[in-house]
Amino acid sequence: MEQSIFEKMGGTYIKVGDYYVPNLGQFDDKEETDDRPLGKYGMIRETFLKEHRKPLYNHLLLSGELHSHLRDVNEQSQYLLDTLLPQYKANQGVTEELKASKQLLWVGMVNNILAQIEEIIYSEIVYV
């Protein structure tokens, strides 16, 4: 018995219209059910990967792990921000009393702390 052309080529094929195309399968369903937000740091990481780490970006995209990776980066970054912010505020004397008495000074100090923490996040998590 003679093998069909599809058996010789290997793999499975599906009929789309008048043509048979390789059945490449579906990406992991985890992508579709992952409802965590992408967030600021995830979007920055995606842009960085597209522009500076193209092979890694393509690998994550083709393996179906890109969105999960970006959401993980965002969660790690947000966790670090939430952990360091109270520590830095305590170390630099940024209190609620300062907020009540000198609001502009408090805002300036908090913005400075946020900038310091974001530099850590970018250098340790996002731009790696």
Side-chain angles (χ1 to χ4, degrees), residues 57-75:
Y57 174 80
N58 288 331
H59 170 73
L60 291 171
L61 180 64
L62 294 174
S63 67
E65 299 172 359
L66 178 63
H67 292 286
S68 178
H69 171 76
L70 297 175
R71 285 171 172 83
D72 290 344
V73 164
N74 188 64
E75 282 184 358

Side-chain angles (χ1 to χ4, degrees), residues 3-14 20-25:
Q3 286 184 321
S4 72
I5 185 75
F6 301 114
E7 291 172 347
K8 290 179 184 176
M9 292 176 16
T12 60
Y13 293 81
I14 56 174
Y20 284 93
V21 294
N23 183 7
L24 300 177

